[in-house]
Amino acid sequence: MASRALPVLPCIEAKEPERPPPALVSDVLEEIFLRVASPADLARASAACVSFHGVISNPSFLRRYRSVHPPLLVGFINRDGFHPVEATHPSAAIARGVARTVDISFLPHGPQGWCANDVRDGRVLVACWYRRRLREYCDLAVYDPLFRQFLLLPPMTDDLLASVGIDNETKNNYTGEASFIPCGGTEEDTSFSVICWMFSKTRLAVFIFSTKTSSAHWDAVKSISWADLGLPQEIKQCLNGPAGQCVYGCFYWKLYCRRELLKFDMDTFEFSKYELPPGHNHRSIVIVESGEGKVAMFSKLVGEGSVDYYTFMQNGADDQKSYKWHLKSTIPLSVHGPNFSIRGQAGGYVFLESIIEEQDKTYLEYFSLDIKSCNIERACRTSGRIISCPYFGYPPSMSPRRI
């Protein structure tokens, strides 16, 4: 019987065991993570892998990331607490995480309650004005609502006020406001500066407090009379509009019921005055950065169903008369109703506030107007009529300590 040949089996080559891909070096990971647009996604990546967390939590990476991706609008804050943006807003998911972390219960209770004046870089500046023995006082404090840290600023002495012509012991009553000064420091820098402006019937004075100096007290940097500014010698009601209008290193204020705009240069500590377009005596305005070092203005009259957007064109830096305001566009508010007021600007937005009355209850509803696109988005609603400040931030895991 003939033998049958066995089938030829295919030759199977022995394979070496698979090797894991080489680990990505930290600088390559950093470049990858720098392109993640959502801070929430970046925070999830940090929690998912130990090696990822080491790169993302590095202060140098966080500085780079925040320079490319500005903080997101996550809500509004006042003495009642933090009010996150609502579900329809793009930042709603991050806002819910921030809301679980923010706490203001550790703030001391002032005689008339604290009022949020300004928010910048995760810090909140609060003020409390009160009278005691026929004299007026103001307490200012800075706090970090994420890490529950609180710093009470030193009071202004009577001698300091008297040195600039504001006497607290006479009937030369005064009032004032305060705001943060943009510092442009590093992310791990805990220093900050505050500007406070006070005005009486005859004078305007500017004070600065900074934690960068070892003195830890207020300095009077400018005092000027209304007459020296080419205004009436006595002004009963002075500066009008939102606090903290710092644009390209200068602070701006509109004079109450007048067409004049005051500018205070933080480099020279000098005042200058500009005339607003006709019809601006009773309008509320917000000065904003429009890019390439140019100044612009959003303007609104109470009861009108639109916001006007002006650009400011100046031919000479030293000639205050060689300029003009140009009406670039009018933004309708008909969809949202005319009962709006301008509340301020921050983070590339102008904020609009609307009073809503429903079933014997009053609410404040906030909207954000994008400066570049002029798109309007509803942000949130707060109860009562307590003025709130917009709060910008990242997920708590990405937020460094501020104080």
Side-chain angles (χ1 to χ4, degrees):
M1 181 175 178
S3 61
R4 290 188 304 174
L6 296 174
V8 179
L9 298 176
C11 179
I12 301 176
E13 296 181 359
K15 291 185 177 181
E16 295 183 4
E18 293 186 3
R19 297 178 181 177
L24 292 173
V25 292
S26 59
D27 56 345
V28 176
L29 283 173
E30 184 171 318
E31 293 301 322
I32 294 173
F33 290 138
L34 196 63
R35 289 159 173 77
V36 177
S38 170
D41 292 339
L42 195 66
R44 295 187 190 99
S46 175
C49 178
V50 175
S51 60
F52 290 177
H53 177 75
V55 175
I56 295 172
S57 62
N58 188 291
S60 64
F61 169 78
L62 290 176
R63 284 198 300 272
R64 291 187 64 196
Y65 187 85
R66 293 186 179 99
S67 67
V68 177
H69 305 281
L72 303 174
L73 174 66
V74 293
F76 289 77
I77 197 164
N78 58 28
R79 66 169 177 254
D80 284 345
F82 175 72
H83 308 273
V85 294
E86 297 177 358
T88 56
H89 197 278
S91 304
I94 294 178
R96 287 193 294 270
V98 174
R100 290 191 291 268
T101 308
V102 166
D103 181 17
I104 66 166
S105 61
F106 62 95
L107 281 173
H109 296 285
Q112 296 180 3
W114 293 97
C115 176
N117 270 37
D118 194 15
V119 179
R120 191 178 296 275
D121 297 330
R123 307 181 183 104
V124 183
L125 175 66
V126 295
C128 178
W129 287 86
Y130 59 95
R131 297 186 68 86
R132 183 182 298 162
R133 296 180 182 178
L134 302 180
R135 300 174 67 181
E136 195 169 55
Y137 296 87
C138 176
D139 286 338
L140 290 171
V142 175
Y143 75 95
D144 183 334
L146 288 180
F147 294 96
R148 300 169 178 81
Q149 296 171 321
F150 176 86
L151 177 65
L152 184 66
L153 302 189
M156 292 188 188
T157 64
D158 291 340
D159 291 340
L160 178 64
L161 296 176
S163 69
V164 296
I166 297 179
D167 191 349
N168 202 13
E169 297 185 10
T170 67
K171 295 183 179 180
N172 187 18
N173 293 328
Y174 64 90
T175 186
E177 288 287 350
S179 177
F180 283 119
I181 300 173
C183 60
T186 60
E187 290 298 330
E188 62 267 21
D189 188 6
T190 59
S191 62
F192 62 87
S193 301
V194 176
I195 181 174
C196 180
W197 53 96
M198 292 189 176
F199 47 89
S200 65
K201 292 181 180 179
T202 58
R203 301 193 68 81
L204 171 62
V206 177
F207 307 86
I208 289 179
F209 172 86
S210 178
T211 58
K212 295 179 180 180
T213 62
S214 57
S215 58
H217 61 73
W218 290 92
D219 292 313
V221 297
K222 188 67 177 182
S223 177
I224 192 170
S225 68
W226 298 122
D228 290 338
L229 288 170
L231 296 166
Q233 292 186 356
E234 289 194 3
I235 296 181
K236 295 181 180 180
Q237 291 179 298
C238 173
L239 306 179
N240 187 30
Q245 295 193 59
C246 186
V247 175
Y248 297 124
C250 298
F251 278 86
Y252 292 85
W253 302 277
K254 179 184 180 295
L255 290 171
Y256 183 77
C257 290
R258 300 181 66 90
R259 282 180 56 196
E260 282 92 1
L261 178 70
L262 287 185
K263 170 185 173 182
F264 183 67
D265 193 311
M266 293 297 296
D267 290 330
T268 63
F269 292 155
E270 294 296 330
F271 279 101
S272 53
K273 185 182 65 172
Y274 298 91
E275 192 173 80
L276 294 170
H280 272 70
N281 299 59
H282 302 284
R283 280 179 167 262
S284 297
I285 68 167
V286 170
I287 305 297
V288 300
E289 298 179 358
S290 62
E292 300 179 353
K294 297 179 181 178
V295 173
M297 173 179 69
F298 286 85
S299 167
K300 188 181 186 305
L301 182 66
V302 175
E304 282 189 353
S306 61
V307 176
D308 292 333
Y309 177 53
Y310 289 84
T311 54
F312 183 76
M313 294 179 289
Q314 187 170 357
N315 297 325
D318 298 326
D319 185 4
Q320 297 181 22
K321 295 183 179 180
S322 60
Y323 71 88
K324 64 178 180 178
W325 293 96
H326 173 67
L327 178 60
K328 186 175 181 180
S329 63
T330 296
I331 306 160
L333 301 174
S334 57
V335 176
H336 311 288
N339 190 22
F340 276 87
S341 58
I342 295 180
R343 185 47 62 191
Q345 60 89 11
Y349 297 97
V350 170
F351 294 97
L352 304 171
E353 176 189 275
S354 177
I355 301 175
I356 306 295
E357 295 184 357
E358 294 179 354
Q359 299 178 351
D360 298 329
K361 291 185 178 180
T362 302
Y363 304 91
L364 290 181
E365 201 160 37
Y366 289 93
F367 294 78
S368 62
L369 191 161
D370 190 287
I371 293 174
K372 292 183 178 180
S373 66
C374 291
N375 291 333
I376 299 176
E377 278 189 311
R378 183 180 181 275
C380 72
R381 174 185 288 193
T382 64
S383 59
R385 294 196 179 188
I386 302 175
I387 296 175
S388 306
C389 289
Y391 189 87
F392 291 79
Y394 296 97
S397 59
M398 292 183 63
S399 301
R401 293 182 181 273
R402 301 292 181 173
I403 300 177

